[in-house]
C-alpha cells in the first residue's frame, strides 16, 4: 500500500471556496464537500492544520470602496475568517472528525486562542486544527498567515487551494493564453511578480524552506491525490 507523501500539512482554503454560485456567503453543499475531501486525507493519518480566508464575506482590501479605514477593514476580514472556520469545524465534526479552532484574536467563548505548543499537541492527538483570524494583525493576508502557521507547527508543505489549477504567467480568466507553471522556484516567482500568492508569503516560505503547492479543489479528490504523490497544480520550491 502506498503511504501518504506528507505526514503533516498546512491547507490554505480561500474564502471563495465556501460560497456557492452567488459568490457570497456560505453554501452548505460546498462546505460539506470540502469537509469530505479533508476527511479522506485525515483518514490516511495525515496531521492537518488549516488556515481559512474570509473573502466570501468580507475583504479588507474593499475598504477603499466603502470608505472604511484599512486597518478596521482588515479586522472585519479577520472576523469573516472566524465564521468560515466555525462552519468548517461544524461540517467536519458532523463527519466524526475531531477538530479545534484557534484564533489569532482572543474570543474564548467560541474558540481557543492560538498557542503554538497546544496546536502541535492537538495535531499529535489526531485533531485537525483550524486557524482563524489571520495573523491577528492588519495589513497581512491569510496567505501570509498560512505560511506563518505552517512554520510554527513545522508542516512539511503548504497546500494552497485556489479557483484555478495552479500558477499562471497571467490571470487565465483575463488572458486565456496564459501559461501554467508545473514548478517554479520561489525566487523566480518573486522576480516575475506573479500574483497567485502575495510576496510576503512566498518570501517567508522561502526563508523557512517550506514548499507550496497551488491547486484547485474544484475536482473532488485532488487534495488526496496530492497527498498520495500525484503531481497536481504548481509546485513552488523554497
Amino acid at each position: 500500500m502506498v503511504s501518504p507523501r506528507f505526514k503533516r500539512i498546512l491547507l490554505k482554503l480561500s474564502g471563495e471556496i465556501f460560497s456557492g454560485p452567488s459568490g457570497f456567503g456560505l453554501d452548505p453543499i460546498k462546505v460539506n464537500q470540502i469537509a469530505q475531501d479533508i476527511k479522506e486525507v485525515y483518514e490516511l493519518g495525515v496531521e492537518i492544520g488549516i488556515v481559512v480566508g474570509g473573502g466570501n464575506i468580507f475583504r479588507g482590501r474593499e475598504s477603499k470602496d466603502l470608505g472604511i479605514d484599512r486597518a478596521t477593514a482588515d479586522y472585519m476580514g479577520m472576523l469573516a475568517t472566524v465564521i468560515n472556520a466555525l462552519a468548517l469545524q461544524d461540517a467536519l465534526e458532523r463527519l466524526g472528525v475531531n477538530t479545534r479552532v484557534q484564533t489569532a484574536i482572543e474570543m474564548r467563548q467560541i474558540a481557543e486562542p492560538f498557542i503554538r505548543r497546544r496546536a502541535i499537541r492537538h495535531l499529535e492527538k489526531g485533531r485537525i486544527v483550524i486557524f482563524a483570524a489571520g495573523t491577528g494583525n492588519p495589513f497581512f493576508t491569510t496567505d501570509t498567515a498560512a505560511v506563518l502557521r505552517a512554520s510554527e507547527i513545522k508542516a512539511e508543505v503548504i497546500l494552497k487551494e485556489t479557483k484555478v489549477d495552479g500558477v499562471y504567467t497571467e490571470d487565465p480568466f483575463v488572458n486565456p493564453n496564459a501559461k501554467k507553471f508545473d514548478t517554479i522556484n520561489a525566487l523566480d516567482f518573486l522576480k516575475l511578480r506573479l500574483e497567485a500568492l502575495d510576496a510576503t508569503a512566498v518570501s517567508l516560505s522561502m526563508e523557512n524552506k517550506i514548499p507550496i503547492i497551488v491547486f484547485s479543489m474544484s475536482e473532488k479528490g485532488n487534495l488526496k491525490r496530492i497527498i498520495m504523490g500525484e503531481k497536481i497544480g504548481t509546485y513552488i520550491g523554497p
Side-chain angles (χ1 to χ4, degrees):
M1 182 178 174
V2 179
S3 299
R5 182 181 175 190
F6 306 106
K7 173 65 178 169
R8 180 177 294 172
I9 65 168
L10 188 295
L11 174 64
K12 165 67 202 311
L13 295 173
S14 66
E16 287 84 350
I17 196 173
F18 291 94
S19 63
S22 69
F24 178 81
L26 292 165
D27 181 332
I29 295 174
K30 290 293 296 182
V31 176
N32 289 334
Q33 285 176 351
I34 297 164
Q36 287 280 0
D37 277 356
I38 294 170
K39 184 187 178 190
E40 285 186 357
V41 173
Y42 172 80
E43 289 175 337
L44 296 171
V46 177
E47 296 175 0
I48 307 170
I50 302 172
V51 167
V52 293
N56 56 319
I57 300 170
F58 189 82
R59 290 177 180 278
R61 64 185 184 218
E62 293 171 353
S63 61
K64 197 170 182 180
D65 296 336
L66 298 172
I68 299 174
D69 174 78
R70 173 60 193 270
T72 300
D74 279 351
Y75 283 118
M76 293 166 68
M78 290 178 218
L79 297 179
T81 72
V82 177
I83 294 172
N84 287 336
L86 294 176
L88 182 59
Q89 179 183 41
D90 182 78
L92 284 167
E93 297 209 331
R94 277 189 278 109
L95 295 174
V97 178
N98 290 323
T99 68
R100 292 290 187 277
V101 173
Q102 292 198 345
T103 57
I105 299 172
E106 284 198 21
M107 39 189 83
R108 291 177 180 271
Q109 286 82 357
I110 57 173
E112 296 178 0
F114 171 69
I115 298 174
R116 185 181 72 87
R117 286 181 177 276
R118 184 180 291 177
I120 291 172
R121 189 65 182 138
H122 286 321
L123 294 170
E124 291 171 344
K125 286 186 172 181
R127 298 168 184 144
I128 291 177
V129 184
I130 306 169
F131 301 107
T135 67
N137 299 288
F139 307 107
F140 290 94
T141 67
T142 49
D143 283 345
T144 298
V147 180
L148 178 63
R149 295 292 181 248
S151 304
E152 291 176 295
I153 66 170
K154 302 186 186 305
E156 296 165 64
V157 67
I158 298 159
L159 305 180
K160 176 183 162 58
E161 170 276 328
T162 68
K163 59 186 176 184
V164 294
D165 59 349
V167 177
Y168 284 77
T169 51
E170 298 175 62
D171 185 343
F173 291 115
V174 176
N175 180 2
N177 296 317
K179 293 184 179 177
K180 181 187 163 202
F181 295 94
D182 290 329
T183 64
I184 186 169
N185 180 279
L187 196 56
D188 290 336
F189 183 101
L190 295 171
K191 285 179 180 174
L192 292 170
R193 296 178 180 271
L194 299 174
E195 296 182 351
L197 294 96
D198 69 86
T200 304
V202 176
S203 297
L204 190 58
S205 73
M206 184 169 61
E207 185 178 335
N208 289 290
K209 298 181 171 50
I210 305 175
I212 302 172
I213 297 175
V214 179
F215 75 111
S216 169
M217 286 178 69
S218 59
E219 184 176 339
K220 182 167 172 51
N222 268 357
L223 179 60
K224 184 178 179 181
R225 293 187 188 99
I226 292 174
I227 296 298
M228 297 310 293
E230 277 192 46
K231 292 184 178 177
I232 291 173
T234 298
Y235 179 92
I236 305 174

